[in-house]
Amino acid sequence: QVQLQESGPGLVKPSQTLSLTCAVSGGSITANGHYWNWIRQPPGKGLEWMGNIAYSGSTYYSPSLKSRSSISRDTSKNQITLQLTSVTPEDTAVYYCLGVIVFTGTRNDYWGQGTQVTVSS
């Protein structure tokens, strides 16, 4: 069973860079068909897909966040990292790591518990 655990600072000041880590267990982040996504949910709003990194290392970003987002991986630690630069209070949200595994035509989703990030001075 794949499990994901997000971690990061709960509070970030405006204009700083937010860095979050998703630790993956129960599966390799480089296994075929594995895609690792970052999704966030601002208070009172719906889920927003931010981007992902594929098992190959290729990355894809939401156009609205592409200029400020960077997703990377540490294969030795089996971890995914999100960096978001120049944060503002509008970046306050619960941030989730989502693993999507596609295999022989089936898809399985694995969610982390989420981590609250507040942007405030």
Side-chain angles (χ1 to χ4, degrees), residues 8-10 14 17 21 32 49 67 71-72 83 88 96 108-109 111 114 116 119:
T17 295
T21 297
N32 282 350
W49 179 79
S67 64
I71 298 175
S72 59
Q83 288 195 319
T88 71
Y96 296 94
N108 290 290
D109 292 359
W111 289 82
Q116 173 70 48
V119 180

Side-chain angles (χ1 to χ4, degrees), residues 68-85:
R68 298 195 294 129
S69 300
S70 177
I71 298 175
S72 59
R73 65 183 184 178
D74 185 332
T75 56
S76 67
K77 295 181 179 179
N78 216 42
Q79 293 179 345
I80 306 297
T81 298
L82 167 71
Q83 288 195 319
L84 186 65
T85 62

Side-chain angles (χ1 to χ4, degrees), residues 19-89:
S19 183
L20 297 175
T21 297
C22 174
V24 179
S25 60
S28 171
I29 61 173
T30 62
N32 282 350
H34 289 51
Y35 300 85
W36 309 98
N37 300 265
W38 285 100
I39 293 171
R40 69 181 182 179
Q41 185 169 28
K45 298 184 179 180
L47 296 171
E48 178 184 20
W49 179 79
M50 302 180 69
N52 69 21
I53 184 166
Y55 58 95
S56 62
S58 297
T59 53
Y60 307 87
Y61 298 99
S62 166
S64 63
L65 293 170
K66 185 175 182 178
S67 64
R68 298 195 294 129
S69 300
S70 177
I71 298 175
S72 59
R73 65 183 184 178
D74 185 332
T75 56
S76 67
K77 295 181 179 179
N78 216 42
Q79 293 179 345
I80 306 297
T81 298
L82 167 71
Q83 288 195 319
L84 186 65
T85 62
S86 304
V87 297
T88 71

